[in-house]
Amino acid sequence: MDFACRDVVSIRDFGKEEILYILDHAGKAMPVARGERRSDVLEGKILATLFFEPSTRTRLSFETAMLRLGGSVIGFADASGTSVAKGETLADTIRMAESYADAIVLRHPMEGAAKLAADFSTKPVINAGDGAGQHPTQTLLDLFTIKMEKGEIADNNIVLVGDLKYGRTVHSLTYALSLFGANITCVAPPTLQMPSEIVSHLKQMGGRFNQSESLESVIPGADVLYVTRIQKERFPDPEEYRKVENAYRIDNALLANAKRNLVVMHPLPRVNEIAPEVDLGPYARYFRQAFYGVPIRMAILSLILGKGEI
Ligand code: ASP
C-alpha cells in the first residue's frame, strides 16, 4: 500500500483496506505516542500547520505527533498575524508554505479550501477541517477509538447526535462507518439533520441508516453515542442558533437505560451537551478519544512522508 506524498483531503480518498492499514499503524505507534519509546523516523522533516480557524486538539496533536517522531513544526494558529491580514490569497500562502515545509496541515473556514490547497501544492496537504465540509483525520481517530474501545467497527449501533448539518466530523464519519457496515442513527432537530447529499450517498452505498428526533428512544439500543456541539459559528442567523442551542443534553439520567458497555464519544470541544457528571461514569471516552489523535496523526505523517516504520 502506497501512501507516500498523498493528500488527505476527504475520507472518501481512502478505501476500507487503506483505513484499516492506517489504524493498524497507529496501534503500533502507541508506545511512541505515550512517550514510552523514542522514534526519529521524521528527523529532518518539517510540517507546516496553517490554522485559519480555532483549534486545540487537532493542531496540538499534529504537533505532538511530529515532535515525537523527531520532526519539526512551523506555522500559525491565528491568521491575523500573517500576510493573510494584508490580503494574501490562500493559493499564495500555500505556495509559500510548500516551499518551506515537507507537508501542510490546513484548517480553513471555507468548504473546499483543502482541495484547492492540494491543487496548488506539490507537497502533501492534510485537511484539518474545511468549514462544514470534512475532517478526515478526526474520522480516522474516531474509527480508531471505536476499534480500541469496542474491538470492532462493523455491526455496532452508532448514534450520531447534535448538529449533523454543520458538523464536519459527522460528515466524514458517516461515510466511513457505512464502509465498515455499522448501523447509523442520526438524531438531530429537523433543521440540523444530515445533509441530503450525504444521506443519498449512504443509501446508494447500501448503508444501514435511519433518522430520529428522539434521543431517549434510541439510547437503549446504542453501542456508541457520538455527541456533537451545535456549530454556533456556522449559523447565518443567531436567532436560528438560539432555537436549537440546548436541543440535547447527555446526563446520567438519560444514560440510565443504556447498554452496560456503551461508549460515549465527542470530537470536542463540548459546550453544554454533555453534563460533567458523565465524565466520571463508565461510558465517557472523549478524552481518551482526543489522545488517540496522536497515534493516528503519527501514522498518517509517517506514511505520507514516506517513512513507513515508526
Ligand atoms: N473540533 C471539531 C472540529 O473542528 C468539532 C467541533 O469544533 O465541534 O470540527
Side-chain angles (χ1 to χ4, degrees):
M1 233 166 269
D2 195 9
F3 291 92
C5 292
R6 274 175 72 173
D7 299 311
V8 183
V9 168
S10 164
I11 196 71
R12 295 189 194 187
D13 302 339
F14 296 90
K16 187 173 162 186
E17 293 311 313
E18 290 178 319
I19 292 175
L20 284 171
Y21 188 86
I22 297 170
L23 303 192
D24 193 52
H25 207 54
K28 294 185 187 137
M30 285 287 271
V32 184
R34 289 199 198 99
E36 294 161 3
R37 185 163 70 75
R38 283 180 62 84
S39 169
D40 57 5
V41 292
L42 293 185
E43 198 184 335
K45 297 287 183 188
I46 297 178
L47 179 69
T49 57
L50 313 184
F51 279 72
F52 291 77
E53 269 195 343
S55 169
T56 301
R57 280 148 291 271
T58 304
R59 189 172 63 83
L60 295 183
S61 62
F62 262 115
E63 289 197 17
T64 303
M66 197 64 189
L67 297 174
R68 289 237 188 258
L69 294 177
S72 309
V73 182
I74 59 168
F76 55 81
D78 179 359
S80 67
T82 73
S83 287
V84 173
K86 301 179 187 172
E88 185 164 67
T89 62
L90 178 63
D92 284 0
T93 305
I94 293 296
R95 282 191 184 102
M96 294 324 307
E98 72 146 357
S99 73
Y100 302 142
D102 301 293
I104 296 170
V105 175
L106 175 72
R107 171 168 290 184
H108 198 280
M110 185 181 78
E111 222 171 301
K115 169 82 179 72
L116 185 126
D119 290 344
F120 276 96
S121 175
T122 56
K123 306 277 176 64
V125 171
I126 303 173
N127 183 3
D130 59 329
Q134 299 278 317
H135 196 346
T137 65
Q138 176 73 44
T139 293
L140 291 168
L141 80 88
D142 292 342
L143 295 175
F144 188 66
T145 305
I146 297 171
K147 202 147 185 288
M148 295 292 280
E149 303 299 322
K150 302 295 294 181
E152 281 305 324
I153 301 169
D155 295 330
N156 279 302
N157 290 324
I158 309 219
V159 174
L160 309 176
V161 60
D163 185 347
L164 310 183
K165 178 180 181 188
Y166 295 116
R168 55 196 172 199
T169 70
V170 281
H171 296 166
S172 298
L173 183 60
T174 304
Y175 173 78
L177 288 175
S178 69
L179 264 189
F180 282 88
N183 298 310
I184 304 168
T185 303
C186 290
V187 179
T191 52
L192 295 182
Q193 260 298 355
M194 192 62 81
S196 55
E197 57 281 10
I198 299 184
V199 174
S200 34
H201 184 84
L202 257 185
K203 289 187 176 154
Q204 267 168 27
M205 286 173 60
R208 290 182 280 170
F209 169 83
N210 52 71
Q211 289 174 317
S212 170
E213 238 186 279
S214 156
L215 187 54
E216 287 77 5
S217 64
V218 299
I219 288 284
D223 299 303
V224 174
L225 178 63
Y226 190 98
V227 188
T228 63
R229 173 179 70 89
I230 309 291
Q231 309 278 299
K232 184 179 183 183
E233 67 277 28
R234 312 250 181 255
F235 281 70
D237 177 359
E239 196 39 51
E240 289 304 305
Y241 170 72
R242 268 190 291 281
K243 284 186 197 155
V244 289
E245 65 179 325
N246 295 315
Y248 298 101
R249 180 166 166 90
I250 318 305
D251 57 16
N252 285 344
L254 179 84
L255 297 176
N257 295 326
K259 288 188 185 176
R260 209 176 30 82
N261 56 356
L262 170 74
V263 162
V264 177
M265 296 170 61
H266 191 309
L268 301 176
R270 72 171 142 183
V271 184
N272 50 18
E273 57 278 1
I274 301 182
E277 64 184 17
V278 177
D279 303 0
L280 307 171
Y283 308 121
R285 295 292 191 288
Y286 24 94
F287 295 118
R288 201 179 297 174
Q289 177 187 357
F291 163 73
Y292 289 144
V294 177
I296 277 292
R297 289 173 173 129
M298 288 171 71
I300 295 165
L301 290 169
S302 68
L303 289 168
I304 69 168
L305 289 171
K307 310 259 186 180
E309 288 312 300
I310 288 181

